[in-house]
Amino acid sequence: MFKAKVRATLLALVLPLLLNASHILKDDILKIEAAQLINEMGDELFSKTGINGYVIATNEHFPVGFNLVAYSKKYEAQMSKPYVLFIFAPQARITEQADTKGRVALIPSSDEIRDLYDKDDVEDAVVDIVSSKDSNSDEDKHNIGVLQAFSELAEGIAESKGIKLTKTIPNETRHMVWGLSVLIYIGSFLVLWIFAIRPLYMRIKHGKK
């Protein structure tokens, strides 16, 4: 009788952990290291905010106009509310005319959850990386993109609740874009100063003399 009670108690303690063991519902893309980081971020997000973050990274070739919300329904039994589901499908067709592929979706469990993050920021985080022209392979870009997007999602939710996360990844892409913008503005000002403002200033200065 005592052993039965111990087993029941252990099961009650372990079962919730098993149910929430992974924040990745489907994975055709991610490397082990990337999947581990996503799970760590998801664990921290849930422990500090009570909100679950889930990821579907699939290489399924969805046709144009495929309903990702309807597609997500088959994973509902694996998700605990409140939640937000991030879907990345790099092989999904966007239009019939162009060969461009790749779709991203964010599916929250309620409107209240949707208000906790910026959808555009999350989508931009993955699009900026996947569409970048560099020497990284598509596989690496997909992994980095999903990691950065999920990190952006977790950060947005946490910040809206005034909470700081420690497992998320700084958005270096955004920082680089901001840095380049600053350099461009400075360069434009210098050009304007050399060829327009300074000559005008010198004419006015010498004219007064």
Side-chain angles (χ1 to χ4, degrees):
M1 184 68 179
F2 176 74
K3 289 183 178 180
K5 288 183 178 179
V6 171
R7 290 195 193 100
T9 302
L10 289 174
L11 184 61
L13 291 172
V14 173
L15 186 58
L17 296 177
L18 293 175
L19 290 175
N20 292 305
S22 179
H23 299 273
I24 302 171
L25 306 181
K26 182 176 174 60
D27 173 21
D28 301 330
I29 297 168
L30 302 173
K31 296 179 179 179
I32 294 174
E33 297 82 1
Q36 182 178 343
L37 287 172
I38 287 172
N39 278 320
E40 289 177 0
M41 287 188 281
D43 286 343
E44 184 181 27
L45 177 66
F46 178 72
S47 67
K48 291 184 176 180
T49 69
I51 297 171
N52 287 292
Y54 296 105
V55 170
I56 290 177
T58 177
N59 268 331
E60 293 176 85
H61 290 68
F62 297 133
V64 176
F66 184 78
N67 191 327
L68 290 177
V69 175
Y71 169 78
S72 71
K73 298 296 183 183
K74 69 178 184 178
Y75 293 96
E76 277 190 334
Q78 297 173 245
M79 296 187 285
S80 298
K81 294 181 179 181
Y83 68 78
V84 56
L85 170 62
F86 171 74
I87 300 177
F88 177 59
Q91 303 304 324
R93 294 289 301 275
I94 298 176
T95 64
E96 294 289 359
Q97 292 74 24
D99 195 35
T100 306
K101 296 179 181 178
R103 286 184 62 188
V104 177
L106 284 161
I107 303 171
S109 59
S110 67
D111 290 338
E112 289 75 17
I113 299 299
R114 181 182 287 108
D115 293 337
L116 296 179
Y117 59 87
D118 189 311
K119 179 175 179 287
D120 291 336
D121 284 349
V122 178
E123 292 180 345
D124 288 347
V126 63
V127 171
D128 289 346
I129 292 171
V130 172
S131 63
S132 62
K133 305 297 182 183
D134 54 40
S135 59
N136 288 315
S137 66
D138 288 344
E139 181 186 14
D140 287 338
K141 289 180 183 178
H142 293 166
N143 273 260
I144 297 169
V146 173
L147 267 176
Q148 194 65 67
F150 190 75
S151 176
E152 187 73 32
L153 174 62
E155 280 281 9
I157 293 172
E159 286 179 5
S160 69
K161 290 181 169 291
I163 295 170
K164 178 67 177 176
L165 300 181
T166 61
K167 302 290 186 180
T168 50
I169 304 166
N171 193 334
E172 298 299 337
T173 303
R174 182 172 299 169
H175 293 163
M176 286 190 290
V177 170
W178 180 84
L180 288 172
S181 299
V182 171
L183 289 176
I184 290 170
Y185 288 135
I186 293 174
S188 299
F189 177 76
L190 288 175
V191 170
L192 187 64
W193 167 259
I194 293 170
F195 293 103
I197 299 176
R198 187 174 184 277
L200 179 61
Y201 168 76
M202 295 302 293
R203 284 199 297 271
I204 293 174
K205 181 180 179 181
H206 291 302
K208 288 183 177 179
K209 288 183 177 180

